């Protein structure tokens, strides 16, 4: 969050399993406390509908499950850049 507040990036890629905050708290803080328009891509091994739904409800722009290919991630980033 400290780096996010310093740089205000256009894109953030996060995991849901984080050591201090979980990914949901991280997304919530970016979207609500920083009121950011940054696109957030969740990249996780969790593949449950409830995880995906919650991430989107909190403001995630995309949800990618592991394993993934670099070309898939690049395609998804390009897609978000054009929207």
């Amino acid at each position: 969050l400290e780096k996010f507040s310093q740089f205000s990036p256009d894109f953030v890629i996060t995991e849901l399993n984080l050591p201090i905050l979980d990914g949901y708290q991280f997304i919530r803080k970016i979207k609500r406390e920083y009121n950011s328009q940054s696109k957030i891509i969740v990249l996780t091994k969790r593949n449950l509908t409830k995880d995906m739904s919650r991430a989107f409800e909190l403001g995630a722009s995309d949800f990618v499950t592991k394993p993934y290919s670099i070309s898939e991630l690049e395609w998804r980033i390009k897609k978000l850049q054009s929207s």
Side-chain angles (χ1 to χ4, degrees):
L1 284 173
E2 182 180 319
K3 292 292 182 190
F4 180 85
S5 66
Q6 288 176 343
F7 297 106
S8 297
D10 293 332
F11 286 93
V12 174
I13 299 175
T14 188
E15 169 64 79
L16 293 177
N17 298 317
L18 298 174
I20 298 172
L21 297 175
D22 68 27
Y24 303 118
Q25 293 167 318
F26 183 66
I27 295 167
R28 184 182 304 113
K29 284 186 176 289
I30 288 173
K31 290 298 185 176
R32 296 201 177 123
E33 291 181 24
Y34 290 97
N35 196 26
S36 174
Q37 298 302 311
S38 296
K39 308 279 184 174
I40 300 172
I41 299 175
V42 174
L43 184 62
T44 187
K45 65 180 181 178
R46 292 186 186 181
N47 194 17
L48 298 175
T49 303
K50 68 178 185 169
D51 293 314
M52 187 182 297
S53 295
R54 186 170 177 202
F56 283 124
E57 286 170 7
L58 292 171
S61 303
D62 205 349
F63 194 96
V64 180
T65 56
K66 296 176 186 177
Y68 65 95
S69 70
I70 294 297
S71 59
E72 176 189 7
L73 186 58
E74 288 174 346
W75 179 83
R76 289 174 182 256
I77 291 170
K78 287 177 184 176
K79 182 180 170 190
L80 288 174
Q81 285 176 324
S82 64
S83 63

